[in-house]
Amino acid sequence: MKAADRMRTALLAAVSHDLRTPLAAGWAAITSLRSRDNDFSEEDREELLATADESMARLGRLIDNLLDMSRLQAGALKLNVRDTALEEVLPTALESLPPGAASVDIQGLDAVPAVLADPPLLERVVANLLSNAARHTPQGEAVLLTASMPVDRVEVRVIDRGPGLPPEDRERAFVPFQRLGDTDNTTGVGLGLALARGLAEAMAGTLTPEDTPGGGLTMVLSVPAAESREPAESSAAESSAGESGVDRPPPACSRGAA
């Protein structure tokens, strides 16, 4: 009961500040544009429109994170696991980064097979990891995303050159509403890493932090490789899906270009 009360208190604090901040910014921009008392230049109008657009996009991401976290905790998150190429989810994950965020260098995608995952949920995991890394990456530095395949799993590493986290704080980073090392309290409700780990584990994956050699933090996402599934296991899984009434699309026949 006490834990539930603490969660409700943290959620109310998040809603009262973090959700209202982008709403207020977007509202102010739109109100200014609608005012007949202001004679804005074309450049000023574009800037206000960009502010409104960015604020609404940020509000949408915050709400999506809150809803997905609540579904995870209630055990109500529905999965549609299938063969998924990393190239399928990366473009949308990259598009979710805010304007002005650190650039992302990508390596190794052509060296790994498809993975067993729910594509939209995998995209959310990668997007949250990239957003966290970009937020802590120094100006002028790039976030590095690499992919490799040790044994029967695919590992995606999201690497930043930020201040990193001491070992004793790393597990706390996955607790909802924590913003360890984040001095900017306008960046979100502290759900990104907690949600990323929860979604990864729901897809039989893991998410663990490591030191970046030379300084920084590396998040290691490990998910099952699609080619590691045995034929008998695949048939059983498809049979089970049919019996449960859950629609599962057939495995992808090919992977997208890197």
Side-chain angles (χ1 to χ4, degrees):
M1 184 63 72
K2 289 182 178 179
D5 287 341
R6 287 195 297 270
M7 181 64 72
R8 278 194 293 271
T9 300
L11 178 57
L12 286 172
V15 171
S16 66
H17 179 272
D18 294 278
L19 296 184
R20 287 174 61 187
T21 300
L23 182 60
W27 196 351
I30 292 171
T31 301
S32 297
L33 286 168
R34 294 186 63 187
S35 174
R36 296 181 179 180
D37 297 331
N38 298 318
D39 185 18
F40 293 113
S41 67
E42 188 62 28
E43 183 179 352
D44 289 337
R45 287 179 60 84
E46 287 299 320
E47 185 175 345
L48 286 168
L49 286 171
T51 297
D53 183 64
E54 182 181 347
S55 297
M56 294 304 101
R58 180 179 157 208
L59 183 63
R61 290 192 297 269
L62 290 169
I63 292 173
D64 285 343
N65 279 349
L66 285 167
L67 290 175
D68 280 347
M69 180 57 71
S70 67
R71 293 188 188 107
L72 270 176
Q73 293 178 334
L77 192 67
K78 295 182 179 180
L79 296 179
N80 183 14
V81 176
R82 65 172 175 84
D83 292 12
T84 306
L86 292 178
E87 296 95 326
E88 181 180 345
V89 301
L90 267 177
T92 308
L94 290 168
E95 288 174 4
S96 71
L97 290 173
S103 61
V104 180
D105 291 339
I106 300 172
Q107 300 177 6
L109 292 192
D110 57 348
V112 298
V115 300
L116 286 175
D118 180 301
L121 297 189
L122 180 60
E123 180 270 317
R124 293 291 302 284
V125 173
V126 175
N128 283 357
L129 295 180
L130 288 174
S131 176
N132 182 74
R135 190 162 60 247
H136 296 289
T137 294
Q139 188 172 5
E141 295 277 357
V143 174
L144 177 61
L145 185 148
T146 68
S148 60
M149 185 181 174
V151 194
D152 59 352
R153 299 180 71 83
V154 171
E155 288 188 351
V156 176
R157 281 177 161 77
V158 178
I159 303 164
D160 71 54
R161 293 290 181 182
L165 280 176
E168 62 271 17
D169 282 342
R170 288 179 185 169
E171 285 307 305
R172 287 178 55 210
F174 297 100
V175 176
F177 309 110
Q178 296 290 322
R179 289 187 291 218
L180 299 178
D182 201 341
T183 57
D184 180 4
N185 64 4
T186 68
T187 53
V189 297
L191 281 178
L193 292 181
L195 181 60
R197 174 175 274 186
L199 295 178
E201 292 176 348
M203 297 182 289
T206 61
L207 180 61
T208 55
E210 295 180 351
D211 285 325
T212 299
L217 188 68
T218 296
M219 288 292 176
V220 184
L221 171 65
S222 174
V223 286
E227 68 179 26
S228 70
R229 178 172 52 177
E230 296 295 333
E233 179 186 349
S234 175
S235 298
E238 291 167 3
S239 175
S240 175
E243 293 172 0
S244 64
V246 177
D247 293 331
R248 294 180 184 273
C253 296
S254 64
R255 299 170 55 240

